């Protein structure tokens, strides 16, 4: 639970987000819609900047990744193949009194005295045998439990109920009761998070479709097409940014858990380790913690996984999230999805994160980086009946040069892995073994289903992390030099919604305004610029501090040459964080500012 201080901080962040136009509640004029959010003028720029940064870092600055933009609604079989239809669910519980729904794993454990009732009857003899119980804090009179119980039986048609079979016992760390009113919750049951719709004019089971709950599956489904047109060879990646939808049981923590959100996902396809070993005579594994350096052809899945964890951490640091605000959480074996070999979650220490026993924020997930083996492509190969194998010239050439022992060892290892996968899909042991052998034969000729490393990040969670990280209250001098409190959003210039604000010192001096408009037009093609002439200059600075604008340019009488020719055509450049002011020539502004933004 967030303590009162962090709760207060979140309230300030939520209120600033609305007041300054970062984030609004969706459909607010109709009372809002739980789990849906809109981004206002500043939020829209912030989000675009961070998506752009991710996209460029993945595609423009790399030779080995290409992009994809797939449709949101796809063939429903995709979700059968991925497992979402059968297993993409959370356990939910309902309050037996108010019907309020909770995610079972989010119910806080509670202590107290539980009062149990076996049923109730009304004076006419009408009876309910439904058992019910209520948890009340120690020391609280039993009457409050009885009142809740009477309410429960009244809802079941028993008027003026006389409670039956009351007994009580102390309870510790129980998650069976509604933390808000102590009422018993239903038993946990699965709830599929996919949002359904119908395609076409007939609402029938045949036309059922889903709004995608993740963008990744489209990448797998289009893997062969992309491979064909992009002239890439494994190892290579496909990146995608797009909307995803999950009917979350309990959207909460502002935008952190929403029902509509955006993801930035990369599927990076690699050779199976057996192929790497056959080609390079060995498989490079991580030698030490940290970034392993430039990718090498002999890398196995472990080092590729570590590489992507480190790359992603570098990305977050590059847009202003300090390393100590992030947590690298390695999922424990019992937390891993059955097909995953390793998953690292990158957590950000949100103000609402839980705290550990030392009082440190533990962090909440921004991104998961999973080594998913060849599970996804194999699933689509089975469900669509289309081959997802690639042909690897180097493997074909290397295989005959291996010793017979090495060939047998690698073949055996690969056959075992494939048999294991096929057995899990429900094939009989004999068939799984025979198919596994066939696939191992194909490997010896250069064919395999690629493995994948998947860094999967949420845009909205990242935007929220950046807003939380940027929020700062400090003191700055007003127009008369007196210190006053200010709220300043310390966004990294790279992702700041507005890069620079341009101010004429006075709005009633036409020459100052004219020059300021010229500077505004000069900078516009290069960056987002905000022009502001309203109010005292100190107040205008404050407004930009709250918007997180890193630079301010003021056009004053020196600019006009009124203090001599030396300062003519120069402006004051104010730095939001250092609060320094330097004189800069107008003609140097575009290049100087652009350099600070790249
Ligand atoms: P969580 O455990 O928090 O529900 P997840 O492990 O189910 O998340 P993934 O399926 O790995 O999440 O999705 C990848 C990323 O998508 C997450 O790291 C997160 O940034 C984002 N994401 C997932 N669900 C939501 C949501 N309901 N609202 C906002 N972002 C989300």
């Amino acid at each position: 639970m967030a303590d009162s201080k962090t709760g207060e901080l979140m309230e300030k962040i939520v209120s600033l987000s609305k007041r300054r136009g970062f984030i609004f509640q969706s459909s607010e004029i109709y009372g809002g819609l739980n789990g849906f959010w809109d981004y206002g003028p500043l939020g829209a720029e912030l989000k675009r900047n961070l998506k752009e940064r991710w996209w460029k870092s993945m595609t423009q600055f790399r030779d080995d990744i290409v992009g994809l933009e797939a449709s949101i609604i796809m063939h429903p079989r995709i979700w059968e193949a991925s497992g979402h239809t059968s297993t993409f669910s959370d356990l939910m519980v309902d309050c037996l009194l108010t019907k309020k729904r909770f995610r079972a794993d989010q119910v806080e454990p509670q202590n107290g005295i539980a009062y149990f009732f076996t049923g109730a009857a009304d004076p006419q003899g009408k009876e309910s045998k439904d058992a019910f119980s209520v948890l009340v804090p120690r020391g609280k009179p039993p009457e409050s439990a009885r009142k809740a119980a009477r309410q429960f039986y009244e809802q079941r048609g028993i008027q003026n109920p006389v409670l039956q079979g009351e007994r009580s016992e102390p309870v510790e760390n129980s998650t069976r009761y509604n933390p808000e009113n102590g009422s018993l919750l239903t038993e946990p049951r699965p709830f599929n998070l996919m949002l359904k719709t119908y395609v076409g004019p007939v609402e029938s089971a045949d036309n059922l479709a889903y709004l995608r709950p993740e963008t990744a599956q489209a990448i797998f489904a289009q893997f062969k097409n992309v491979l064909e047109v992009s002239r890439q060879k494994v190892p290579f990646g496909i990146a995608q940014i797009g909307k995803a939808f999950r009917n979350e049981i309990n959207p909460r923590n502002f935008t952190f858990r929403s029902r509509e959100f955006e993801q930035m996902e990369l599927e990076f396809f690699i050779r199976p380790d057996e192929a790497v070993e056959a080609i390079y005579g060995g498989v490079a594994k991580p030698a030490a913690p940290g970034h392993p350096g430039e990718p090498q052809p002999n890398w196995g899945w472990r080092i590729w996984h570590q590489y992507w964890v480190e790359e992603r951490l570098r990305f977050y640091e590059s847009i202003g999230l300090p390393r100590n605000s992030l947590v690298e959480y390695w999922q424990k074996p019992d937390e891993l999805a059955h097909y995953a070999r390793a998953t690292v979650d990158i957590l950000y220490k949100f103000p609402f994160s839980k705290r550990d026993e030392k009082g440190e924020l533990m962090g909440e997930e921004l991104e998961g980086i999973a080594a998913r083996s060849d599970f996804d492509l194999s699933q689509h190969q089975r469900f669509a009946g289309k081959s997802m194998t690639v042909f690897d010239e180097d493997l074909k050439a290397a295989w005959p040069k291996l010793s017979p022992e090495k060939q047998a060892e690698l073949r055996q290892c690969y056959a075992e892995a494939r048999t294991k996968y096929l057995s899990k899909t429900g094939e009989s042991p004999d068939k799984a073994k025979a198919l596994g052998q066939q696939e191992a034969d194909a490997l010896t000729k250069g064919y395999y289903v690629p493995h994948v490393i998947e860094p999967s990040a949420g845009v909205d969670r990242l935007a929220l992390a950046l807003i939380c990280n940027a929020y700062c209250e400090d003191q700055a001098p007003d127009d008369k030099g007196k210190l006053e409190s200010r709220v300043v959003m310390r966004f990294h210039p790279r992702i700041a919604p507005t890069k620079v604000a341009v101010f004429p010192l006075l709005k009633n001096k036409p020459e100052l305004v004219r020059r300021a408009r010229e500077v505004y037009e000069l900078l516009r093609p290069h960056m987002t610029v905000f022009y502001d002439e309203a109010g005292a200059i100190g107040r205008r600075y404050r407004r930009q501090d709250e918007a997180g604008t890193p630079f301010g340019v003021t056009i004053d009488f020196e600019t006009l040459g009124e203090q001599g020719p030396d300062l003519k055509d120069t402006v004051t450049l104010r730095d939001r964080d250092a609060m320094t002011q330097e004189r800069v020539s107008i003609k140097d502004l575009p290049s100087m500012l652009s350099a600070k933004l790249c």
Side-chain angles (χ1 to χ4, degrees), residues 337-497:
H338 67 88
Y339 46 78
R341 290 172 153 182
T343 299
V344 168
D345 291 335
I346 297 181
L347 318 179
Y348 173 74
K349 295 177 184 170
F350 285 99
F352 50 77
S353 305
K354 289 201 178 107
R355 290 180 186 273
D356 63 15
E357 55 289 347
K358 289 194 208 117
E360 294 286 323
L361 289 171
M362 287 158 75
E364 302 285 339
E365 181 179 327
L366 280 185
E367 168 161 0
I369 300 139
R372 297 173 65 94
S373 70
D374 50 9
F375 175 78
D376 304 274
L377 287 178
S378 301
Q379 284 291 96
H380 289 296
Q381 178 165 280
R382 275 194 324 116
F383 276 71
K386 302 266 166 31
S387 166
M388 290 289 169
T389 55
V390 295
F391 172 62
D392 190 327
E393 192 73 57
D394 297 340
L395 175 59
K396 185 177 180 226
W399 193 268
K401 297 179 197 150
L402 297 173
S403 69
E405 295 76 34
K406 193 49 122 187
Q407 285 183 348
E409 180 199 320
L410 294 178
R411 203 179 174 291
Q412 174 71 9
C413 199
Y414 192 74
E416 275 172 15
R418 295 303 295 167
T419 305
K420 198 167 153 202
Y421 159 74
L422 289 157
S423 308
K424 279 199 179 144
T425 66
E427 295 290 3
S428 67
D430 286 350
K431 188 153 179 223
K433 200 167 170 199
L435 288 171
Q437 292 296 339
Q438 267 178 31
E439 294 194 20
D441 281 346
L443 182 82
T444 68
K445 299 182 180 80
Y447 294 93
Y448 54 78
V449 175
H451 286 228
V452 73
I453 308 289
E454 177 191 80
S456 165
V459 183
D460 307 81
R461 284 190 187 177
L462 179 51
L464 184 59
L466 291 168
I467 289 174
C468 292
N469 187 65
Y471 185 91
C472 180
E473 293 172 15
D474 69 2
Q475 301 230 303
D478 66 9
D479 285 336
K480 298 187 182 73
K482 200 171 132 238
L483 282 183
E484 61 175 10
S485 333
R486 68 167 182 168
V487 170
V488 54
M489 296 296 282
R490 295 193 192 280
F491 290 120
H492 192 291
R494 287 183 184 132
I495 49 103

Side-chain angles (χ1 to χ4, degrees), residues 1 5 69 77 86 124 129 138 152 169 180 214 267 271 326 329 468 470 489 540 589:
M1 281 265 268
K5 225 163 145 198
E69 190 162 323
R77 288 275 287 165
S86 52
Q124 284 72 43
K129 285 286 177 205
R138 282 200 172 81
F152 171 82
E169 69 183 43
E180 292 162 9
E214 61 173 37
E267 300 302 333
R271 289 173 164 134
L326 301 167
Y329 177 78
C468 292
M489 296 296 282
R540 283 184 267 165
L589 269 179

